[in-house]
Amino acid sequence: MLQVNKPTSEINRDFTEADGSPSQTLTSYLDIIRRQFPTMVAIVSACVILALLYLFTAAPLFTSTASMVIDTRKVQLFQQQSVLGDIAIDSATVETQVEILKSENISLAVIRDLHLTDDPEFTGSGGGVLGAIMGSVTGLFSSGRAPSEFEQTRKALERFATNRTVKRLGLTYVMEIGFTSRDPAKAARIANAIADAYIVDQLEAKYQATRRASVWLQDRIKELRTQASAAQKAVVDFKIANNIVDSGGRLMNEQQLAEVNSQLVMAHAGTAEAKARMDRINDILKQEIPDASVADALKNDTIVKLRGQYVDMASKESIWAMKYGSDHLAAVNLRRQMAEIKKNIIDELRRIQESYKSDYDIAMTREEAIKSSLANVVSESQLTNQAQIQLRELDSTAQSYQAMYDNFLQRYMESVQQQSFPITEARVISAATTPLIKSAPKSLVILGAALFGGLMLSFGAAMARELSDKVFRTTGQVEEQLGANCVAILPALGAPASAALTSKLGRKKSNPEPDLLRYVVDNPLSRFAEAVRSLKVAVDLNSIVRENRVLAVTSTLPNEGKSTLSTNLAQLMAHGGARVILVDADLRNPSLSRALLPDAQAGLVDLVAQRAQLEDVISIDPQTKLAILPAGTTSKLLHTNEVLASKPMRDLVALLRSKYDYVVIDMPPMAPVVDVRVTTPFVDSFVFVVEWGKTKIDVVRHNLRNAPEIQHKLLGVVLNKADTKLLARYESYHGRYYYQKYYARYGYVE
């Protein structure tokens, strides 16, 4: 399908729209890497070389590690409860021990024991080339005097703290002590010395704390002994003063009160029992025939015998009465004997009644006596209540002082025992050994870090270069930023255009430099000629949509190669057999006329002023049959835009349109002058030349936005003076790539 130029509104919208999809973003990053690949390789190589230099010059370091555990179990055989109280071993305690291991007290102890202030590794410059350089620089600023012992100690302490590592392993009670040194044996020796110094410090701290506690306990025990003795003496004196006697840990009156109270209870129970027996016997006596189930009667032998006789006679009387009648003499005698026995039983019961009554009276008398005694004891107890309260207070005070004295005496004995055999919770579970391989510098880590850092730095530098590279380098940039087609990329030919414009068209040059204005004729199979042909094809294909015979070639700034392109395009068309005329319309700076026809006296200005005829001012190239219309004398012109916008100019272009197949007009640049904008009424299409890698994007966008009439007739953009070797990193550019891109855009295939 044939693509035509986009309308102005769509072009302006393209200026602000960009595809932000992830795939497009990844592609853009890959493009940046491809474009900046040499720079990135140089930065990465420099970082790797610096890393290698560091590895070759740095002194090897060896790290030895010792492991220590805080054991929560105590040796109960030798140590009991601590005088100061054991602190529960928790996470905070372990972290505290780690900080103690890092303290200056431990470090200074190791430095003194191993005489590290005499070791050049701790008081001299660092090892390796870097250390020597730092030592030399430090020596330049030093006063020249020998450092004091304190300064050497502080320097050794600083170096010691830098090389020492103490950390807790996870959530365990194990602490890892490491030390790094240039000597592997020294590293192991110092790591073990740190562990030993820590254990000694802990033992010394416990010994000192226990000793101070023992001294304090001695003074406190003397004071408590005096206080306990005084309190006990006060209790004894108070008992003597108040006539208070205790027995078995109880006061005498309290013991008497308890005993009398107990006797009263027993007496009251006895009285109740005697009264119950007496009441029962009274009830029995009221019966006509005493109850045989009475326990007291059954226990009496007389009543038992009488009761037995009575039962036998009653049985016989019943038999005789039934046999001979109740009035029989034998029956009557039996009944008389039974009455006598009954009377005897009642008399015996009366005797028992008198005995029970006597027991009851005795129990009542005894109970009354005990009550009287209890009243006396209670009265005496009430009189001594206040004294007993004070006695209990004194006794409680004496017991408290005695308990405190016993407790402190026990603690004192424990402290004496701990002084003789102190124990610490920390113990070494893995002693440091001489390392066999170096710990630093790690070659793979250094090289990996250098490589990674170089990649990051190189990518940052690439991004910085890309962000600061505000010029056109790819066709995609042209289409994205300008909304126009990039119809061709012209490679740089190796010679500046200003030098090429000094030679005349058709003149044979003796120097080896190519003639840029005849390059498509002298080198028809070159990449430059192919690019110009792609521009010519674009012109022809665009003619299908609209008439495209008057072509104007312009640029944003001078020296972008528009005159070179317009000349080669015209020569290419003429060399192909078309009738072509090349018009130099750059009236401010007619460099094309000076280069091609330096001796011409008349030209475009004279034709517009109607002072000459067309046939008199044009020149024909004998090889390509290209007609050339110079600008003429323009030095006295002040308003060139008025000349180009005049009606005679439009009539001249109409005349040229009727005589030639193509009219190629070399226009002035758009940024310095406004001449190009006035030519839009008679120009069919504009070809915009942009210098590759030099012309700023914002300058081109600004000029095109301010000239919508030129945008509407813009055929396409040509990137000129492209570095083909550098261009390969920005996008594929091989031979006929742009032909294929152009043909695919218009629906053609090869």
Side-chain angles (χ1 to χ4, degrees):
M1 179 178 178
L2 182 64
Q3 177 175 333
V4 297
N5 292 331
K6 300 179 181 180
T8 304
S9 60
E10 185 177 354
I11 294 175
N12 292 334
R13 186 170 62 253
D14 290 340
F15 286 154
T16 58
E17 292 180 352
D19 187 3
S21 62
S23 59
Q24 196 70 284
T25 303
L26 178 61
T27 303
S28 63
Y29 285 144
L30 294 177
D31 292 341
I32 292 174
I33 294 174
R34 186 180 69 250
R35 290 191 292 267
Q36 303 296 334
F37 187 73
T39 302
M40 296 178 68
V41 170
I43 294 176
V44 172
S45 301
C47 293
V48 173
I49 291 173
L50 290 176
L52 291 175
L53 290 176
Y54 172 75
L55 291 176
F56 282 119
T57 57
L61 300 177
F62 299 87
T63 300
S64 184
T65 304
S67 298
M68 178 181 296
V69 66
I70 298 180
D71 196 351
T72 57
R73 296 172 298 178
K74 295 292 186 73
V75 183
Q76 299 295 339
L77 179 61
F78 299 102
Q79 182 175 0
Q80 298 179 3
Q81 182 69 23
S82 174
V83 176
L84 303 178
D86 288 334
I87 300 176
I89 305 298
D90 55 5
S91 180
T93 304
V94 179
E95 295 295 337
T96 302
Q97 301 308 311
V98 170
E99 296 302 321
I100 293 176
L101 277 167
K102 295 180 181 179
S103 64
E104 287 190 0
N105 189 23
I106 303 297
S107 302
L108 290 174
V110 176
I111 292 173
R112 287 193 299 268
D113 293 342
L114 300 182
H115 306 287
L116 297 182
T117 53
D118 300 331
D119 193 337
E121 183 179 352
F122 291 89
T123 57
S125 60
V129 177
L130 184 60
I133 295 175
M134 293 299 295
S136 301
V137 173
T138 306
L140 293 177
F141 293 97
S142 63
S143 59
R145 65 177 180 85
S148 63
E149 182 180 357
F150 175 76
E151 292 176 346
Q152 287 185 341
T153 302
R154 299 308 299 180
K155 186 174 182 180
L157 182 62
E158 181 181 358
R159 190 70 59 82
F160 185 90
T162 303
N163 296 337
R164 178 207 59 213
T165 58
V166 180
K167 63 180 180 179
R168 178 187 181 186
L169 297 182
L171 299 178
T172 65
Y173 293 158
V174 178
M175 297 179 295
E176 189 177 78
I177 306 170
F179 195 85
T180 302
S181 174
R182 295 196 293 268
D183 184 359
K186 185 193 300 181
R189 186 169 62 254
I190 294 177
N192 290 324
I194 294 174
D196 294 339
Y198 170 76
I199 294 176
V200 171
D201 180 78
Q202 293 294 300
L203 293 174
E204 181 66 22
K206 285 196 172 186
Y207 173 78
Q208 293 296 335
T210 306
R211 188 178 63 82
R212 289 192 296 268
S214 300
V215 174
W216 180 81
L217 285 173
Q218 286 179 350
D219 298 336
R220 184 61 176 158
I221 286 172
K222 293 179 181 179
E223 181 181 355
L224 288 174
R225 184 187 299 115
T226 303
Q227 292 175 348
S229 299
Q232 291 176 358
K233 185 176 182 301
V235 171
V236 173
D237 293 342
F238 186 82
K239 287 182 178 181
I240 294 173
N242 291 274
N243 196 20
I244 299 174
V245 180
D246 57 356
S247 176
R250 298 179 63 185
L251 297 179
M252 186 64 71
N253 58 349
E254 292 180 353
Q255 188 174 0
Q256 289 177 355
L257 181 61
E259 291 177 355
V260 171
N261 190 30
S262 177
Q263 292 176 2
L264 179 60
V265 172
M266 294 175 62
H268 183 72
T271 302
E273 183 181 358
K275 186 177 183 302
R277 286 198 300 267
M278 187 182 67
D279 292 340
R280 180 59 178 166
I281 200 66
N282 291 333
D283 293 339
I284 293 173
L285 289 174
K286 292 178 182 180
Q287 298 175 1
E288 181 179 358
I289 299 177
D291 191 358
S293 64
V294 177
D296 297 309
L298 293 178
K299 292 179 181 178
N300 191 289
D301 294 337
T302 302
I303 295 176
V304 170
K305 291 179 180 180
L306 293 175
R307 182 70 177 172
Q309 294 175 4
Y310 182 82
V311 172
D312 291 340
M313 289 182 179
S315 175
K316 291 179 180 181
E317 189 275 334
S318 176
I319 295 172
W320 283 96
M322 291 179 62
K323 185 175 181 181
Y324 300 105
S326 59
D327 294 333
H328 192 272
L329 180 62
V332 172
N333 290 332
L334 288 174
R335 284 195 292 269
R336 186 170 51 253
Q337 291 177 4
M338 290 173 58
E340 185 67 23
I341 292 173
K342 180 178 179 182
K343 178 180 178 298
N344 293 332
I345 292 174
I346 292 174
D347 291 340
E348 186 66 22
L349 289 174
R350 290 183 186 276
R351 188 185 62 77
I352 294 174
Q353 179 186 17
E354 291 297 329
S355 176
Y356 283 174
K357 183 178 180 182
S358 178
D359 292 340
Y360 176 71
D361 292 339
I362 293 171
M364 287 291 294
T365 304
R366 183 171 176 270
E367 182 179 357
E368 291 297 331
I370 293 175
K371 285 183 178 179
S372 177
S373 177
L374 179 62
N376 294 331
V377 174
V378 170
S379 178
E380 293 177 0
S381 177
Q382 289 176 350
L383 293 176
T384 58
N385 280 339
Q386 187 66 31
Q388 291 177 2
I389 293 174
Q390 296 180 5
L391 178 62
R392 282 194 293 269
E393 292 178 356
L394 293 174
D395 189 54
S396 176
T397 302
Q399 290 178 2
S400 298
Y401 278 119
Q402 186 64 35
M404 292 174 62
Y405 173 76
D406 294 339
N407 187 20
F408 274 79
L409 184 61
Q410 181 182 1
R411 290 298 184 94
Y412 175 73
M413 298 302 295
E414 292 175 358
S415 66
V416 172
Q417 183 183 11
Q418 290 178 12
Q419 289 183 33
S420 61
F421 194 80
I423 294 178
T424 179
E425 293 84 2
R427 61 185 178 88
V428 176
I429 59 176
S430 177
T433 58
T434 303
L436 300 179
I437 58 175
K438 67 177 182 178
S439 60
K442 297 183 181 297
S443 302
L444 294 180
V445 175
I446 296 297
L447 291 176
L451 183 61
F452 180 76
L455 290 175
M456 294 295 101
L457 183 62
S458 63
F459 189 75
M463 293 297 297
R465 286 172 58 90
E466 285 289 326
L467 293 176
S468 61
D469 190 20
K470 302 296 184 179
V471 294
F472 289 100
R473 294 187 185 274
T474 64
T475 59
Q477 286 180 302
V478 173
E479 295 171 355
E480 179 182 355
Q481 299 294 334
L482 304 180
N485 297 327
C486 182
V487 294
I489 294 183
L490 300 180
L493 299 180
S498 58
L501 291 175
T502 57
S503 61
K504 294 183 180 180
L505 184 64
R507 180 183 301 176
K508 299 295 184 180
K509 299 197 307 179
S510 58
N511 58 356
E513 294 182 355
D515 186 356
L516 301 185
L517 298 180
R518 294 185 57 85
Y519 200 85
V520 295
V521 179
D522 297 338
N523 302 276
L525 300 179
S526 64
R527 185 175 297 176
F528 181 86
E530 291 297 327
V532 176
R533 288 191 184 93
S534 67
L535 175 59
K536 199 266 183 184
V537 171
V539 172
D540 294 339
L541 292 178
N542 193 262
S543 300
I544 300 175
V545 179
R546 64 185 180 188
E547 188 177 9
N548 201 24
R549 297 172 59 191
V550 179
L551 303 174
V553 182
T554 184
S555 63
T556 305
L557 301 172
N559 299 323
E560 293 193 66
K562 61 177 182 58
S563 299
T564 302
L565 176 61
S566 59
T567 304
N568 282 276
L569 177 61
Q571 289 181 1
L572 181 67
M573 292 176 174
H575 197 263
R579 295 174 300 165
V580 184
I581 183 170
L582 176 62
V583 180
D584 186 4
D586 189 358
L587 303 183
R588 297 292 184 95
N589 183 25
S591 58
L592 186 62
S593 299
R594 290 195 297 269
L596 298 179
L597 300 171
D599 299 330
Q601 300 297 323
L604 177 62
V605 176
D606 299 286
L607 290 177
V608 174
Q610 298 180 356
R611 293 194 299 266
Q613 297 296 322
L614 179 62
E615 292 78 6
D616 299 333
V617 297
I618 63 174
S619 178
I620 305 298
D621 179 32
Q623 183 178 357
T624 61
K625 307 303 180 183
L626 172 65
I628 303 172
L629 176 59
T633 304
T634 60
S635 59
K636 297 181 179 181
L637 292 178
L638 299 178
H639 305 286
T640 55
N641 60 315
E642 298 294 338
V643 176
L644 296 177
S646 62
K647 185 177 182 302
M649 180 66 186
R650 292 196 295 272
D651 295 339
L652 175 60
V653 173
L655 176 63
L656 296 178
R657 187 190 297 271
S658 62
K659 289 182 173 292
Y660 296 95
D661 297 327
Y662 297 99
V663 179
V664 181
I665 304 176
D666 183 28
M667 290 291 184
M670 291 179 60
V673 295
V674 298
D675 293 359
V676 182
R677 300 182 62 178
V678 302
T679 61
T680 55
F682 55 80
V683 173
D684 295 334
S685 296
F686 288 90
V687 177
F688 202 84
V689 179
V690 176
E691 185 172 356
W692 185 89
K694 185 175 182 181
T695 306
K696 299 296 182 181
I697 294 177
D698 54 351
V699 175
V700 178
R701 293 178 61 180
H702 175 73
N703 282 273
L704 287 179
R705 281 180 175 177
N706 292 335
E709 63 278 1
I710 295 179
Q711 285 187 3
H712 183 69
K713 292 187 175 183
L714 188 63
L715 175 67
V717 177
V718 175
L719 294 179
N720 194 23
K721 303 180 184 179
D723 186 348
T724 55
K725 295 182 179 179
L726 188 60
L727 182 63
R729 296 201 301 265
Y730 286 85
E731 64 180 336
S732 300
Y733 181 71
H734 301 288
R736 299 174 57 83
Y737 169 75
Y738 284 100
Y739 284 125
Q740 298 170 0
K741 184 177 188 301
Y742 181 83
Y743 290 148
R745 182 181 302 150
Y746 286 90
Y748 289 87
V749 295
E750 289 187 336

